[in-house]
Amino acid sequence: MEPARNFLSVYDFTESEIYELILRSVVLKEERLKSNPCLEGKKIGLIFEKSSTRTRVSFEVGIMEMGGHPIFMSSKDLQLGRGEPIKDTARVLGGYIDGAVIRTFEQERIETFAQHFGKPVINGLTDLYHPAQILTDIFTVYETKGKSKYESKYIIRDIVGNLKVVYFGDANNMANSWVSLQAALGFELVLAMPEGFDIDEKVKENAVKRGGRFTVSRDKISAAKNADVITTDVFISMGQNEEKEKIDKLKPFIIDGDVVKNAAEDVMLLHCLPVHRNEEVTEEVFERFSEIVFREAENRLHVQKAIMEQIFT
Ligand code: CP
Ligand code: NVA
């Protein structure tokens, strides 16, 4: 039996496949109401060890729109939440369902699940990566900045390759996801974060091995110069302690009017949501770009349908 194809990080797709996914997402978005029963008869489990609004609902709706049957399982209600090993849970569920979307803690945990499940697995966020989100983010950039929706892969590559993306804030799963996407697609990436905040060594190593390059800036205004995309995320991620000291260190890196003023004229803001207004981004800047940010949230549905076509069929 061939090993199942998983989507555990951006590196599970080639550069060319990512551009194809972007083009397919354009079509799926336009043809949302056209019948596409490619998951007919498939039971897909959604196993979540952390809270979720967007990921859970967009995957459930996407599976239903493609004719499949989603089964949501919170770890609180599973024996998993009472200490049943993840590898046993995977072996049991592998006998019932055809694929899984997992939201969990360590990346090793989703890898262990995938190894014992024997069917395809999609990462719905770990402490290390949020790959479904980052592919949606780059789709949203293309949708916003591309001149025509139906460009060729080469034109998308030109648009993406010439971007300057600046991420402000914590060195978390979203920052790591930008690092991995940069390594896969190649664009200018600056991480604006305070002293003492650095990308996970393993994430860095993995990116550098693939030719990835990013710079870290301790000065948010110079980092913002001519940025095409500015982005941030919550300062305290799920599973982390609400440390006041950490928030205080990150606060100077808030995306505010000065950041926007120094960026390119047609700069766009991305935020995976939920947002903490006036913590990582000012209310004024957030609302100024809210059309894009909520379109980014909707795009989770369309991009994940394109991902599921590749992984679950
Ligand atoms: N952006 C995102 O993954 O949101 P949820 O935590 O609501 O799924
Ligand atoms: N970094 C955040 C992203 C939430 C979508 C978290 O892990 O909680």
Side-chain angles (χ1 to χ4, degrees):
M1 200 175 67
E2 261 191 49
R5 181 168 195 191
N6 300 316
F7 178 51
L8 305 186
S9 82
V10 160
Y11 303 131
D12 288 321
F13 287 121
T14 63
E15 178 184 5
S16 171
E17 284 174 324
I18 293 173
Y19 294 132
E20 273 159 26
L21 278 171
I22 292 176
L23 286 173
R24 182 67 185 143
S25 306
V26 171
V27 174
L28 287 166
K29 184 167 181 174
E30 279 212 342
E31 298 183 352
R32 177 156 177 205
L33 300 177
K34 200 167 144 188
S35 168
N36 174 22
C38 63
L39 294 183
E40 198 163 328
K42 299 228 174 187
K43 278 85 65 184
I44 308 293
L46 288 98
I47 301 137
F48 278 47
E49 300 200 84
K50 294 174 178 172
S51 305
S52 171
T53 299
R54 281 145 287 268
T55 308
R56 174 191 174 166
V57 179
S58 56
F59 269 110
E60 284 201 44
V61 170
I63 293 163
M64 288 191 272
E65 287 186 357
M66 297 200 295
H69 187 94
I71 304 171
F72 178 76
M73 294 166 261
S74 155
S75 59
K76 283 188 226 114
D77 305 318
L78 295 172
Q79 295 290 3
L80 184 65
R82 297 180 61 245
E84 184 167 17
I86 191 99
K87 62 179 181 187
D88 292 355
T89 305
R91 275 186 271 194
V92 171
L93 294 178
Y96 303 148
I97 58 179
D98 304 297
V101 178
I102 314 278
R103 170 165 284 199
T104 188
F105 295 89
E106 300 84 8
Q107 186 74 7
E108 292 71 31
R109 211 165 152 76
I110 197 169
E111 283 165 5
T112 304
F113 184 95
Q115 204 183 326
H116 295 274
F117 183 54
K119 312 257 175 83
V121 177
I122 291 178
N123 185 345
L125 179 146
T126 61
D127 293 345
L128 209 64
Y129 291 124
H130 197 0
Q133 178 72 56
I134 208 70
L135 291 190
T136 303
D137 286 7
I138 201 64
F139 169 75
T140 306
V141 172
Y142 167 65
E143 182 184 55
T144 309
K145 296 200 182 276
K147 288 197 177 61
S148 145
K149 282 195 262 183
Y150 300 104
E151 306 283 15
S152 74
K153 278 203 286 193
Y154 305 100
I155 294 182
I156 305 182
R157 190 164 62 189
D158 268 359
I159 295 171
V160 173
N162 285 312
L163 290 173
K164 176 177 177 183
V165 177
V166 187
Y167 171 93
F168 300 80
D170 190 24
N172 63 12
N173 44 11
M174 281 309 299
N176 295 343
S177 299
W178 277 109
V179 167
S180 64
L181 190 75
Q182 192 286 329
L185 304 185
F187 46 85
E188 185 181 352
L189 176 65
V190 181
L191 305 175
M193 47 185 58
E195 289 289 345
F197 287 72
D198 278 305
I199 290 296
D200 178 280
E201 272 308 315
K202 216 169 68 187
V203 169
K204 213 186 296 184
E205 226 173 79
N206 239 327
V208 169
K209 201 169 69 193
R210 293 174 158 86
R213 289 181 57 182
F214 63 92
T215 52
V216 175
S217 170
R218 308 300 183 190
D219 171 30
K220 79 170 174 188
I221 298 300
S222 66
K225 281 261 169 323
N226 300 322
D228 302 296
V229 178
I230 50 176
T231 184
T232 184
D233 185 19
V234 290
F235 290 164
I236 307 293
S237 286
M238 291 181 280
Q240 298 178 343
N241 296 329
E242 187 84 30
E243 283 169 42
K244 190 178 170 307
E245 203 189 324
K246 181 180 178 189
I247 297 174
D248 287 345
K249 280 191 191 147
L250 286 164
K251 266 256 167 88
F253 287 78
I254 187 171
I255 296 185
D256 56 13
D258 286 340
V259 167
V260 176
K261 231 182 275 159
N262 280 279
E265 213 174 308
D266 64 344
V267 67
M268 58 185 282
L269 172 78
L270 290 173
H271 194 307
C272 64
L273 301 176
V275 64
H276 285 67
R277 287 174 170 80
N278 299 321
E279 200 160 281
E280 68 270 11
V281 54
T282 61
E283 164 117 45
E284 186 274 316
V285 170
F286 181 76
E287 290 304 336
R288 208 186 318 167
F289 291 97
S290 59
E291 181 281 322
I292 297 175
V293 173
F294 288 101
R295 181 156 47 79
E296 174 191 2
E298 185 204 306
N299 284 341
R300 294 290 302 278
L301 171 66
H302 312 301
V303 174
Q304 286 162 190
K305 281 165 101 175
I307 294 170
M308 288 193 285
E309 281 183 342
Q310 294 303 314
I311 301 296
F312 290 151
T313 63

